[in-house]
Amino acid sequence: RQLLEEESRKEFTREMKWAYMTKNWKTTPPKVLHRRIKKGIPDGMRSLVWRLLLDPDSQDDKIYNFRPSIKSLIEKGRQECCNIIEVDLPRTMPQMEMFQKGDAINSLRSILHAYSNYDPTLGYTQGMAFYAAMLLCYMEERQSFWCFVSLMKGKKHHLRNFFSPGFPGLDKIGKVWEYVLNHHYKRVAKRLEDIGLSTIMYVPSWFMCNFFNMPFPMVLKLRLFDCFLGFGTRAIFSFALTIIKMNKDLLLTDSMEDCLQILQRPYEFPRMKNWRVVVRHWQENFLTEAQYKGYFKNAGVKYIP
């Protein structure tokens, strides 16, 4: 009981700090914001904080209410990619109860359909639904849509590069990953190469969906999403390196099939089951911005956020 009371007091204090910070958003030092994001955004503050991170203009009714409605975007017509959306809907967050019900699925469908008309050159590519679904966990449909637009087309994340034809963002980060893996985990990289396990067999799942397609505990996925919104791909890259570090011994000794399972389904392995332990390792090895940009430079790849 004493421990529960202590945890409750800590959570209350965190929420008070976040509440103060959201009221003074423009004057909050980036170092303070980043430090608190790493510790996790309080559940009750996520909707507001995510909107401030992705779509601060949503706080200005004069701007927000002038935007087209989801309905008006849907009424522009149905593209061929809507068939792919329908295939993706039932396999997006199936382990979550809210996405087993009609309302959430219908909202997800509306967001993706509307976006396909908002950005007709791209339309829809498999995997985009996971980001919209994460947003819907804490926002209503319209808020989720405009935050999704910011994720896809905003300068800070520009996820569109990961889903555009040819997948240019994925190609870049894949090359950087190969450089880093060989630089920091040379023996692991050599072993994986020797047993015929190439990065293409797991990298797309890691960096296109940012692990949101995997049934990690929701509390861990939310922490991943918090940090992705705050730090971009650097947070996900840091998490990917954490998977290698925590499973290094297995990757050096196990069979090709077992190594592939570790990389494609890390959530199944005992050492990845305790989300608190995973987060601790992740935060201890969280890359600085200078380190991350340095990897791109050394790999000869133009930096992406």
Side-chain angles (χ1 to χ4, degrees):
R1 181 179 176 180
Q2 188 175 357
L3 286 173
L4 288 173
E5 289 177 354
E6 181 64 25
E7 283 296 317
S8 179
R9 282 195 295 270
K10 286 181 180 179
E11 185 64 17
F12 178 76
T13 301
R14 280 203 317 134
E15 288 201 14
M16 290 301 98
K17 288 180 178 178
W18 273 99
Y20 177 82
M21 194 162 61
T22 56
K23 290 178 182 178
N24 299 275
W25 191 256
K26 292 182 180 180
T27 59
T28 298
K31 286 185 178 180
V32 174
L33 175 62
H34 290 166
R35 184 174 68 247
R36 290 181 180 166
I37 289 175
K38 281 185 184 179
K39 292 180 179 180
I41 300 170
D43 206 54
M45 301 294 298
R46 276 199 168 98
S47 176
L48 175 57
V49 174
W50 287 1
R51 278 180 283 137
L52 287 170
L53 286 168
L54 289 172
D55 186 23
D57 286 345
S58 66
Q59 306 304 299
D60 186 336
D61 289 340
K62 291 180 181 178
I63 297 175
Y64 193 64
N65 293 331
F66 187 71
R67 295 171 175 174
S69 67
I70 290 179
K71 182 181 178 181
S72 68
L73 288 167
I74 290 173
E75 287 175 347
K76 287 186 175 183
R78 182 182 174 88
Q79 295 197 57
E80 188 176 343
C81 66
C82 287
N83 296 327
I84 304 173
I85 291 173
E86 292 301 321
V87 172
D88 256 13
L89 288 174
R91 57 191 185 192
T92 302
M93 307 291 196
Q95 71 277 15
M96 289 191 64
E97 186 178 349
M98 70 174 285
F99 289 106
Q100 296 172 8
K101 299 176 181 178
D103 289 348
I105 290 293
N106 287 335
S107 288
L108 185 57
R109 176 185 290 110
S110 294
I111 289 170
L112 299 175
H113 186 170
Y115 185 81
S116 72
N117 286 330
Y118 183 84
D119 184 5
T121 306
L122 174 61
Y124 178 80
T125 301
Q126 285 184 331
M128 288 165 53
F130 289 102
Y131 297 92
M134 290 296 293
L135 294 166
L136 274 171
C137 290
Y138 284 86
M139 301 179 203
E140 52 86 22
E141 189 176 293
R142 190 170 183 229
Q143 293 171 339
S144 297
F145 173 76
W146 288 108
C147 283
F148 182 67
V149 168
S150 177
L151 272 177
M152 294 300 295
K153 304 190 78 172
K155 292 181 180 179
K156 186 174 181 180
H157 299 91
H158 209 59
L159 267 174
R160 195 179 187 282
N161 277 342
F162 282 80
F163 294 97
S164 298
F167 309 110
L170 181 63
D171 181 61
K172 287 181 180 180
I173 208 165
K175 289 176 180 176
V176 177
W177 174 254
E178 288 186 1
Y179 164 78
V180 173
L181 189 62
N182 276 281
H183 183 71
H184 287 287
Y185 296 100
K186 192 170 185 176
R187 288 177 61 212
V188 172
K190 181 67 166 57
R191 175 84 202 301
L192 295 181
E193 182 182 355
D194 289 345
I195 61 177
L197 205 163
S198 67
T199 56
I200 196 66
M201 299 170 79
Y202 62 93
V203 160
S205 176
W206 283 15
F207 296 117
M208 282 189 75
C209 298
N210 288 351
F211 300 100
F212 305 134
N213 58 327
M214 298 185 184
F216 280 114
M218 193 59 184
V219 64
L220 177 55
K221 287 206 277 193
L222 288 170
R223 294 288 288 271
L224 276 166
F225 201 65
D226 290 343
C227 286
F228 174 61
L229 299 191
F231 301 96
T233 55
R234 173 160 60 103
I236 306 303
F237 209 92
S238 300
F239 188 77
L241 284 170
T242 300
I243 291 175
I244 299 297
K245 183 177 181 180
M246 292 184 69
N247 296 282
K248 179 181 175 181
D249 58 330
L250 300 178
L251 294 171
L252 288 171
T253 57
D254 283 6
S255 67
M256 187 273 191
E257 291 76 14
D258 288 342
C259 288
L260 185 60
Q261 286 295 305
I262 292 170
L263 298 172
Q264 290 186 337
R265 307 167 73 89
Y267 52 85
E268 290 185 347
F269 288 79
R271 60 185 64 181
M272 303 293 291
K273 292 286 187 181
N274 188 326
W275 69 268
R276 288 183 174 85
V277 173
V278 174
V279 167
R280 177 169 55 80
H281 282 283
W282 178 33
Q283 292 189 343
E284 287 173 356
N285 297 278
F286 208 97
L287 298 171
T288 66
E289 186 175 12
Q291 283 176 314
Y292 194 49
K293 287 184 175 180
Y295 290 151
F296 279 82
K297 182 179 180 180
N298 292 338
V301 175
K302 185 178 179 181
Y303 174 73
I304 58 174

